[in-house]
Amino acid sequence: MSKYKLPNKPFEYQNFVNGEYINSLSNETFERKSPAHGNLIGTYQLSNKQDTEHAISVAKKAFKSNAWSEMAGSDREKIIRKAASIIRERAQELALIETLESGKPISQALDEMEWAAGIWEYAATLSRHITGDVNTNVGKDMTAMMQKVPIGVVAMITPWNFPLLIISQKLPIALAAGCTAVIKPSEMTPGTTLLLGGILKEAGLPDGVVNILSGYGDPVGMTLSESNNVDMITFTGSTAVGKHIMRAAATNLKKVELELGGKNPQIIFPDANIDELIDPVVFGIYFNMGECCNSGSRIIIHKDIVDEFIEKLVAHAKKVKVGDPLDTTVKMGAIINDVQYDKIIGYIKSGIKQGATLQLGGTSSKTEKGAFIDPTIFSDVTPEMAIACEEIFGPVLSILTFDTADEALEIANNTEFGLSASVWTKDIDTAMIMTRNIEAGTVWVNNWMSGYPEIPFGGMKQSGIGRELGPRAIDEFMETKSVLIKTGKSSNWV
Ligand code: NAD
């Protein structure tokens, strides 16, 4: 029996602006029901264009005051580190909110709080390692300093699938750099991001440095993207909205960082140990109900071992428990909303229609209490099928086969995406050739979805622009200013 319960009444949230929790200017709100239970679990401020412009002006004023950017890195570190410890202390409460809003299993939501706190800790260390460079090699009387300066006001727009984790891949790094921020979480899962405002205030962050608004892409996200007073926008979400944001950002040529979709291949060679890879493959596709940019949704396996693989895979995937995400033994909870449910079911139908073989699942249940889709596996998938090349964002695995390594590579790269990929082989030559040639921001060898704050993450091709995390992530939020200092006597031009 799980100790996690539905709340007796919905949580009520406010926007966080200039260090205070406030209502939207219109006083209007919107609601969220738990996708797994049907109960009303939150009411949030419905922010409009004026709310957004106000929050931007607050962030700009805070940046111009230099109170944050000129604070010693060691002091910024203390505040960011304190925020990490409060996230850890409140992990149970935060995880429950994420499960109620998103339908994800509570055990997984708890893990995410731990990952998020770890990134805040890593970012805290980065704030003490901002250094520029000096060049005394351009002439006797010239000294050049390359200074690192924060970029300014950063807008952050995030999706619903890993709410606190994804904002934690952006915000603490931007804060370490000395930037100020305006944040818009997804309208489906804003709760924990809104609570982050209070956490940062408690940690000692000066008022106005971080401002958080709940609301919809139109108008809040659009106003942020178009604003002349925003210096950079960092967005995680769909490729379609990412393109829209990039166009809108042209207003003032603000810097754009994008973390977008994926259709990530896992190439399995005949020398791989099938018994060792079955569980990571099952995890890679069914983790977060497949609603994951890193979902390992395309298996590209040598045809000699596909039968053995399917038999073992189906047996293992049958053990994945689907159900109430508040049950700590459940591995797959509810699908986020009706639109996503219909989209996934549409892909299952298209797989069947296009001639793929349904090996497992395809089954689902939808009541007023929530929508659940069982682990689904298709074999005999060919590269041109929709289930082979489009991002489904659901628990649907496509299995394709290959004969030669070149063929495997061609299938793997035959997509507009380039987020992540894996190679399963015990042969070092095969592994090296594949990792060099796969078009993806991250390539795993004999594992899936390992990740650390120390290691950069991001996509190639239409999976994104820029990299989050890693020691250079801080550079994404900084400008380089070259200062050239002349000593000695100048020679005349005329
Ligand atoms: P989405 O693109 O629909 O929405 C993301 C955010 O953008 C939300 O906050 C939304 O309100 C906002 N938005 C919507 N329209 C907007 C507009 N016109 N202007 C500005 N903002 C707007 O994405 P989603 O459905 O929330 O998330 C799923 C997508 O996110 C998938 O494609 C997934 O692959 C991607 N994703 C990528 C990563 C990564 O790191 N690469 C991580 C998680 C999710």
Side-chain angles (χ1 to χ4, degrees), residues 193-397:
T193 306
L194 290 162
L195 292 186
L196 201 49
I199 290 172
L200 286 165
K201 184 157 177 122
E202 188 186 335
L205 190 79
D207 293 348
V209 173
V210 169
N211 305 278
I212 309 163
L213 303 173
S214 50
Y216 289 84
D218 179 10
V220 181
M222 280 172 69
T223 306
L224 289 170
S225 315
E226 286 166 358
S227 172
N228 284 327
N229 290 314
V230 168
D231 303 291
M232 171 176 173
I233 187 153
T234 166
F235 169 79
T236 299
S238 61
T239 297
V241 174
K243 287 180 184 178
H244 192 84
I245 284 175
M246 199 162 174
R247 279 190 289 271
T251 42
N252 66 335
L253 293 178
K254 61 177 69 61
K255 183 172 179 181
V256 178
E257 186 189 56
L258 302 172
E259 299 290 335
L260 309 174
K263 185 73 182 179
N264 310 301
Q266 302 212 50
I267 306 178
I268 305 176
F269 284 89
D271 65 331
N273 183 330
I274 292 194
D275 292 324
E276 280 174 12
L277 62 81
I278 291 291
D279 190 68
V281 166
V282 167
F283 162 71
I285 180 65
Y286 302 123
F287 171 71
N288 215 50
M289 294 73 71
E291 295 167 337
C292 177
C293 58
N294 261 336
S295 171
S297 53
R298 278 195 299 155
I299 297 293
I300 303 169
I301 185 164
H302 194 277
K303 65 180 176 43
D304 287 354
I305 53 167
V306 68
D307 291 341
E308 181 193 353
F309 171 74
I310 290 173
E311 195 188 325
K312 290 180 172 169
L313 179 73
V314 168
H316 200 61
K318 278 182 182 165
K319 297 181 201 153
V320 174
K321 187 170 170 187
V322 183
D324 183 346
L326 293 177
D327 176 343
T328 49
T329 63
V330 156
K331 294 286 183 202
M332 275 174 48
I335 300 300
I336 187 83
N337 62 11
D338 284 356
V339 175
Q340 189 63 20
Y341 176 85
D342 292 344
K343 185 180 153 198
I344 299 167
I345 296 294
Y347 275 112
I348 292 173
K349 285 183 182 157
S350 103
I352 294 167
K353 199 170 160 205
Q354 291 190 308
T357 307
L358 187 62
Q359 294 282 356
L360 180 71
T363 41
S364 60
S365 77
K366 190 179 179 193
T367 67
E368 73 279 0
K369 289 208 154 195
F372 299 82
I373 298 181
D374 295 319
T376 297
I377 299 172
F378 278 106
S379 64
D380 302 314
V381 178
T382 50
E384 70 290 347
M385 290 181 189
I387 59 168
C389 48
E390 294 174 23
E391 185 185 46
I392 300 175
F393 228 56
V396 182
L397 181 66

